[in-house]
Amino acid sequence: MKILKHKGAIAAVVIVLVIAGAAAAMNARTGTVPNVTTAEVTRGDFVDYIQIRGDIRPAKSIVLAAPLQAGGELQIVKLVKNTAAVKKGDIVVEFDATSLEQRLQERRSELKTADGEIEQALAQAKITEEQQSTSLMKAKYDVERAKLDLGKRDLISRIEFEEAKLALADAEQRLKEVQAKGGSTTVGSNAELLGKKRKRDKAQLDVDRTTSSIEALHLRAPADGTVNILENPRTGGMFGGGGVEFREGDRAWAGASILELPDLSSIHLEARLDESDRGRLKVGQTATVKIEAVPGKDFAARVDLISVLARVDFSSGWPPVRNFDLGLVLSDPDPRIRPGMTATARISADRLPNVTLVPAEAIFQKDGRPVVYRLNGSKFDEQSIEITRRGREQAAVGSGVKPGDRLAVRRPEPDLIRKKG
């Protein structure tokens, strides 16, 4: 009986020890989770995205510029508001026309003077014509009278007859002189009138040209649309960029582009592509675009332009970087989209189906090899991994972790890393 009691006591002690050991092991695994942010390992398709920022631009637009014929600099006195809706024929930009209006008044005064000179010349020509007509009638009358006197040959003496012959010759000569003078006077009057008409035509041309120049200082919308005020290059940095749009009071040079009326039926995202990413993209690839001014909506897009040659970008500082021009066309435009809005595009550059995925921020380097810190109870196990493909946001991993593992996204403190062995 005593032996049985002794064996029972031993068995009770063993059971207590087993329970205590299990509790200790469980406590080790289910201890307090460290205050370290973690991310979960998943399984799915590996997609390496290239993310770029750019500006929304219309595929087509009508650009309105300061008139070339004006010459010199022009001051903007009136300018419609950016994003304003306008109708065809509305004045959208008005430049200062003070000097041209003064010149127009001078030209109109010259035109009025020229008109007065023509009227005066016409009146003088009419008086001269009447005088010539009177002189011609008198000369003809003198000739006829001389002929009548010459017809009295039988009634007058020989001397009077000879005098009559001389009088007829004088009258006929005077008639010729009057006719000749009348012709030359008419030619002279016509020439003078023609000169004054030419002067008047020139004055009218100057008035028309000045009026046209004044009208050219009023830029009108060639079609219905929404106004997009362009950047004034003079307000930017030394190498361009960072400028502000044209405003009332600004001075613009002849030919300067002031605003545009974009065709919002076709919208592009224009951006700069880093030289290292140029070979990873091609025309036709799809993308997702987020526009900051249109929150809560993703826009589908595709790459439709990658420049062949890189160009130096001085706006990013020194030394300058070399970028390629990248264009994406949005397939589903939205009426809220406006040119100049900032947008971000995510373009799928690489894809692997059904692989183990680890967030890129959870991968660290140690002794030249990639490692992760996997949560195990209240501490982390340092684990080497094999990376199949690595992107900017995630990596495809061949071994070392499995879906469901939680990994630290920053390197844990040494006391939170479980020592091996």
Side-chain angles (χ1 to χ4, degrees):
M1 191 70 177
K2 289 182 179 181
I3 294 175
L4 291 174
K5 288 182 179 180
H6 181 69
K7 287 183 178 181
I10 293 174
V13 171
V14 171
I15 291 172
V16 170
L17 291 175
V18 169
I19 293 173
M26 184 174 294
N27 183 62
R29 289 186 173 273
T30 62
T32 303
V33 176
N35 186 22
V36 177
T37 304
T38 61
E40 184 177 0
V41 179
T42 60
R43 191 165 187 85
D45 294 345
F46 168 80
V47 182
D48 183 16
Y49 291 102
I50 295 177
Q51 186 163 301
I52 57 172
R53 287 175 63 84
D55 297 325
I56 295 296
R57 301 294 301 167
K60 296 182 295 181
S61 63
I62 303 173
V63 178
L64 300 184
L68 292 171
Q69 65 268 29
E73 291 201 342
L74 302 169
Q75 185 174 20
I76 300 173
V77 294
K78 289 185 180 180
L79 181 64
V80 296
K81 300 297 183 182
N82 202 10
T83 71
V86 295
K87 297 292 184 181
K88 181 179 180 180
D90 289 349
I91 296 177
V92 292
V93 185
E94 184 177 341
F95 297 97
D96 183 22
T98 303
S99 60
L100 284 177
E101 288 172 350
Q102 293 175 351
R103 189 185 306 172
L104 179 60
Q105 293 300 323
E106 295 173 0
R107 298 292 184 263
R108 284 175 173 170
S109 178
E110 293 173 359
L111 176 61
K112 186 176 181 180
T113 300
D115 285 334
E117 291 178 354
I118 290 176
E119 291 178 1
Q120 184 179 358
L122 288 172
Q124 184 61 44
K126 186 175 182 180
I127 294 172
T128 303
E129 182 181 357
E130 291 175 353
Q131 291 174 346
Q132 285 296 118
S133 178
T134 302
S135 298
L136 182 61
M137 289 177 62
K138 184 177 182 304
K140 289 181 177 180
Y141 172 78
D142 291 342
V143 170
E144 294 298 326
R145 181 178 178 181
K147 287 181 178 180
L148 289 174
D149 291 341
L150 191 62
K152 299 177 181 179
R153 180 174 183 178
D154 297 335
L155 301 176
I156 59 176
S157 65
R158 183 177 181 83
I159 295 175
E160 291 177 336
F161 179 74
E162 292 298 329
E163 289 177 348
K165 286 175 63 177
L166 292 174
L168 177 60
D170 290 341
E172 290 177 342
Q173 179 62 34
R174 185 172 298 174
L175 176 60
K176 291 180 181 178
E177 291 175 355
V178 171
Q179 289 176 334
K181 183 179 179 181
S184 62
T185 301
T186 301
V187 172
S189 297
N190 290 339
E192 181 182 4
L193 183 61
L194 179 61
K196 293 186 179 298
K197 286 184 176 179
R198 286 178 176 174
K199 182 179 179 181
R200 191 261 182 200
D201 291 342
K202 181 181 180 302
Q204 182 65 60
L205 181 63
D206 289 340
V207 168
D208 294 342
R209 184 182 296 129
T210 306
T211 303
S212 177
S213 297
I214 293 176
E215 179 60 27
L217 296 181
H218 299 76
L219 302 186
R220 298 179 182 273
D224 297 351
T226 302
V227 172
N228 178 44
I229 308 297
L230 299 178
E231 177 185 308
N232 184 351
R234 291 179 174 175
T235 62
M238 181 181 300
F239 302 106
V244 298
E245 62 191 33
F246 278 101
R247 294 174 293 185
E248 292 182 357
D250 286 353
R251 290 189 174 275
W253 59 100
S257 298
I258 307 299
L259 58 82
E260 64 179 350
L261 292 175
D263 179 5
L264 298 180
S265 63
S266 181
I267 294 295
H268 276 69
L269 171 63
E270 294 181 359
R272 298 287 183 87
L273 181 64
D274 189 82
E275 195 172 13
S276 61
D277 293 329
R278 171 64 177 82
R280 303 171 63 196
L281 296 183
K282 60 182 179 180
V283 173
Q285 286 180 294
T286 59
T288 301
V289 175
K290 290 182 178 293
I291 301 176
E292 295 179 2
V294 188
K297 182 174 181 179
D298 293 343
F299 296 88
R302 61 176 177 81
V303 178
D304 72 334
L305 170 67
I306 304 177
S307 63
V308 178
L309 300 177
R311 60 176 175 174
V312 179
D313 182 8
F314 291 98
S315 64
S316 59
W318 191 265
V321 297
R322 291 168 56 86
N323 289 328
F324 291 84
D325 292 333
L326 176 68
L328 297 94
V329 58
L330 276 65
S331 57
D332 51 346
D334 189 288
R336 294 173 292 175
I337 298 177
R338 291 290 181 268
M341 289 181 174
T342 302
T344 302
R346 284 165 53 93
I347 308 171
S348 173
D350 195 7
R351 181 181 293 271
L352 290 176
N354 194 27
V355 293
T356 301
L357 302 175
V358 173
E361 59 185 353
I363 301 175
F364 305 90
Q365 292 292 320
K366 184 175 182 180
D367 300 330
R369 58 187 175 84
V371 299
V372 296
Y373 294 93
R374 181 174 54 196
L375 181 63
N376 184 4
S378 61
K379 292 192 175 184
F380 292 92
D381 293 333
E382 183 180 285
Q383 178 66 50
S384 298
I385 59 174
E386 178 187 352
I387 297 178
T388 305
R389 194 75 57 85
R390 184 165 187 165
R392 295 185 178 181
E393 299 182 1
Q394 59 185 358
V397 177
S399 62
V401 292
K402 62 182 184 300
D405 290 344
R406 300 202 65 84
L407 309 178
V409 297
R410 61 178 178 83
R411 195 185 297 270
E413 298 295 332
D415 59 338
L416 294 178
I417 301 175
R418 181 176 286 105
K419 296 180 180 180
K420 296 183 178 180

